Amino acid sequence: MVHFVGAGPGGPDLITLRGAQLLGEADCVIYAGSLVNPTLLAMTREGASIYNSAQMTLEQVLAVIREMEQSGKTTVRLHTGDPCLYGAIQEQMDQLDELGISWDVTPGVSSFCGAAAAVGTEYTLPGVSQSVIITRMAGRTPVPERESIAALAAHGATMVIFLSAGMLEGLSTELLKGIYTPDTPAALVYKATWPEEKVVRCTVGTLAQAGREHQISKTALVLVGDFLSHSYQRSLLYHPGFTTEFRQGDGSLDGAAL
């Protein structure tokens, strides 16, 4: 059996209870060494085989899994954050299906959630943005043209941009092709939830400068949008005049333009 486990954004106590249990029971752990906090490996049992997939190809990963399966052993494939985002797990799951090897997935806390916690704000603010676009700049891994930064920036929604901290000059240029302006709030969140976490607030126009000044060029998320300005409308959900399935409003919103 192979368990794909989300390691969480970095803080070792942010792995899920299920993920920690599977990690502690596994005979073999193959972890994404370029991003997963290595302190999580302290949760593994004595004698477990540990492999760093940053130094392996897909074929080598599968060879280890096959060897474990032939010995009747269990493998945890430990991915950073939640494995469904930029985890390259689909190709692994498809290969395991072809090999007749059972697998399952344990979700994890994504770094985009850790980044919001680090910044201390909410992505979906009433009157500001009710959509979150999670994307990346095109690099050695291409991005469909319809999903270019410029195309997505046309929406003006909250944007969380992965794997792009090394391309901040180009990212800023592409963002400005949408409806964002040089003064639109932005933030760089380096290693969210790790001990060395760093938050740098800036604007779309000063992204590259902020990256240079704070020496951030990798392992960081870029947050963009007016949600960072903390100017928003009060949520109706908890307004005393708003009637819900569970609470009768006091009438103070009657006739108000909502």
Side-chain angles (χ1 to χ4, degrees), residues 85-176:
L85 287 174
Y86 306 112
I89 63 168
Q90 192 63 56
E91 60 191 25
Q92 297 175 72
M93 296 186 296
D94 290 344
Q95 288 290 320
L96 292 178
D97 284 342
E98 289 187 16
L99 293 168
I101 296 174
S102 299
W103 54 267
D104 61 19
V105 179
T106 295
V109 178
S110 172
S111 58
F112 87 89
C113 300
V119 173
T121 192
E122 179 182 345
Y123 288 137
T124 52
L125 292 174
V128 178
S129 177
Q130 292 292 288
S131 302
V132 181
I133 296 174
I134 297 173
T135 190
R136 60 167 297 168
M137 275 276 283
R140 287 192 294 175
T141 299
V143 171
E145 182 59 34
R146 66 182 181 277
E147 296 177 16
S148 69
I149 295 294
L152 296 178
H155 298 285
T158 296
M159 290 187 74
V160 181
I161 305 165
F162 280 67
L163 303 167
S164 304
M167 300 177 281
L168 295 177
E169 197 80 57
L171 176 60
S172 179
T173 298
E174 292 303 302
L175 288 168
L176 291 172

Side-chain angles (χ1 to χ4, degrees), residues 72-91:
K73 295 180 179 180
T74 301
T75 299
V76 160
R77 183 69 172 96
L78 191 63
H79 282 268
T80 186
D82 185 289
C84 76
L85 287 174
Y86 306 112
I89 63 168
Q90 192 63 56
E91 60 191 25

